[in-house]
């Protein structure tokens, strides 16, 4: 009887050991299949093996998978966009720099610019042929000097050109922005008005700033913003540039 009990115990242990190994092998095969399935489901995934807990972390943007416990964490990302309509905030025509700030200068070319557009015809010293240059300046004397800098010499023939009229596209855009255009405005004036709205710079330029900029020879539309004039001042001597920077808004 005792021998029979011993044999039965050994047989039971053997059967349990065989069953345990079969179960372990099956788990191993399932884990391998799961790992292969995870790795091949997305060719763009990059897996990193954790040596401490034998888990795989996948670099998919939205999913992290642990091979040991098979937990799945899904992250949903939502993007919201908003559109703010750009329109003129001030009422009526944007305020312009006064004539007094421009020392009473009225451009013979028209518009609200503080300069004249000249066509200067002179001689090319190399070819001896007549060439023309379009010069923006306050006076003919300055226009002559600029023409010489651009490579032509006397004798000069000078003509005042009208400032270009606003284009249909400019006027349509200004209308979309809700920007009234003053009568007599030229292409440069309309461009300045549009930029003040789109750049959120509708504030009027101070008289002190505009007067000094005019004295330093900066050419601008009386509808330009301070930021726009400062961009043109970049080529001034350093001290003059700093004089403008230091003027309060």
């Amino acid at each position: 009887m005792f021998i029979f009990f011993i044999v039965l115990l050994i047989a039971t242990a053997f059967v349990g050991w065989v069953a345990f190994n079969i179960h372990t092998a099956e788990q191993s095969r399932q884990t391998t299949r799961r790992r292969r399935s995870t790795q091949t489901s997305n060719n763009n995934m990059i897996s990193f093996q954790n040596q401490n807990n034998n888990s795989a972390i996948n670099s998919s943007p939205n999913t992290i998978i642990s091979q040991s416990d098979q937990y799945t964490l899904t992250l949903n990302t939502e993007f919201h966009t908003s559109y703010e309509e750009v329109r003129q905030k001030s009422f009526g025509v944007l305020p312009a720099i006064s004539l007094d700030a421009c020392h009473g200068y009225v451009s013979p070319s028209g518009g609200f610019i503080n300069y004249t557009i000249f066509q200067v015809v002179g001689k090319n010293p190399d070819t001896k042929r007549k060439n023309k240059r379009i010069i923006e300046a306050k006076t003919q004397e300055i226009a002559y000097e600029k023409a010489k800098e651009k490579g032509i010499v006397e004798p000069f023939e000078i003509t005042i050109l009208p400032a270009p009229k606003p284009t249909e596209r400019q006027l349509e855009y200004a209308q979309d922005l809700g920007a009234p255009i003053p009568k007599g405005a030229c292409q440069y004036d309309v461009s300045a008005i549009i930029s003040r709205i789109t750049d959120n710079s509708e504030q009027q330029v101070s008289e002190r700033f505009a007067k000094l900029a005019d004295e330093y020879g900066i050419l601008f539309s009386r509808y330009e913003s301070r930021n726009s004039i400062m961009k043109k001042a970049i080529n001034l001597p350093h001290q003059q540039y700093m004089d403008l920077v230091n003027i309060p808004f």
Side-chain angles (χ1 to χ4, degrees), residues 80-90 173 176-177 196-202:
H80 298 279
T81 59
S82 60
Y83 172 75
E84 181 180 354
E85 186 179 18
V86 178
R87 302 246 332 155
Q88 179 175 317
K89 298 178 179 63
S90 307
Y173 189 27
D176 291 341
L177 295 174
R196 281 175 69 180
I197 297 170
T198 57
D199 295 343
N200 196 25
S201 300
E202 295 182 21

Side-chain angles (χ1 to χ4, degrees), residues 15-77:
V15 172
W17 178 79
V18 172
F20 174 77
N21 280 277
I22 292 174
H23 179 70
T24 302
E26 181 62 24
Q27 280 190 327
S28 178
R29 285 194 295 272
Q30 289 179 357
T31 301
T32 301
R33 285 197 296 270
R34 284 196 297 267
R35 183 179 290 113
R36 288 176 180 172
S37 175
T38 302
Q39 290 176 345
T40 57
S41 63
N42 186 346
N43 292 330
N44 294 325
M45 282 188 182
I46 302 175
S47 297
F48 301 93
Q49 192 68 29
N50 188 320
Q51 296 179 353
N52 294 327
N53 60 11
N54 197 31
S55 63
I57 302 175
N58 297 286
S59 64
S60 170
N62 294 325
T63 305
I64 301 175
I65 300 177
S66 171
Q67 293 290 355
S68 59
D69 298 323
Q70 286 297 300
Y71 292 120
T72 301
L73 174 64
T74 302
L75 303 178
N76 295 323
T77 304

Side-chain angles (χ1 to χ4, degrees), residues 172-227:
E172 290 175 2
Y173 189 27
Q175 185 176 13
D176 291 341
L177 295 174
I181 301 301
K183 184 178 180 181
C186 69
Q187 188 178 118
Y188 307 128
D189 301 319
V190 177
S191 179
I193 291 171
I194 290 173
S195 293
R196 281 175 69 180
I197 297 170
T198 57
D199 295 343
N200 196 25
S201 300
E202 295 182 21
Q203 180 182 0
Q204 185 175 11
V205 175
S206 71
E207 295 290 295
R208 180 184 170 193
F209 176 88
K211 186 174 183 179
L212 189 59
D214 184 73
E215 290 176 358
Y216 285 166
I218 300 175
L219 307 181
F220 54 83
S221 163
R222 287 166 48 209
Y223 281 97
E224 286 195 50
S225 67
R226 175 178 174 130
N227 288 340

Side-chain angles (χ1 to χ4, degrees), residues 92-216:
V93 179
L94 291 178
I97 296 169
S98 71
L99 270 177
D100 290 339
C102 296
H103 301 84
Y105 185 90
V106 178
S107 174
S109 294
F112 296 88
I113 53 179
N114 73 336
Y115 57 92
T116 302
I117 305 172
F118 295 100
Q119 175 181 282
V120 181
V121 178
K123 185 184 294 185
N124 185 316
D126 297 325
T127 64
K128 308 302 181 182
R129 294 181 179 179
K130 286 186 176 182
N131 287 171
K132 66 180 179 182
R133 302 286 186 268
I134 305 301
I135 306 293
E136 296 175 349
K138 279 186 175 292
T139 65
Q140 290 189 13
E141 290 72 25
I142 297 175
Y144 289 149
E145 293 302 317
K146 288 187 174 183
K148 292 176 183 178
E149 293 173 1
K150 292 193 174 190
I152 58 176
V153 297
E154 299 175 300
F156 291 131
E157 301 171 12
I158 192 164
T159 306
I160 295 175
L161 300 179
K165 294 182 179 180
T167 65
E168 288 297 324
R169 186 174 181 180
Q170 276 186 314
L171 295 175
E172 290 175 2
Y173 189 27
Q175 185 176 13
D176 291 341
L177 295 174
I181 301 301
K183 184 178 180 181
C186 69
Q187 188 178 118
Y188 307 128
D189 301 319
V190 177
S191 179
I193 291 171
I194 290 173
S195 293
R196 281 175 69 180
I197 297 170
T198 57
D199 295 343
N200 196 25
S201 300
E202 295 182 21
Q203 180 182 0
Q204 185 175 11
V205 175
S206 71
E207 295 290 295
R208 180 184 170 193
F209 176 88
K211 186 174 183 179
L212 189 59
D214 184 73
E215 290 176 358
Y216 285 166

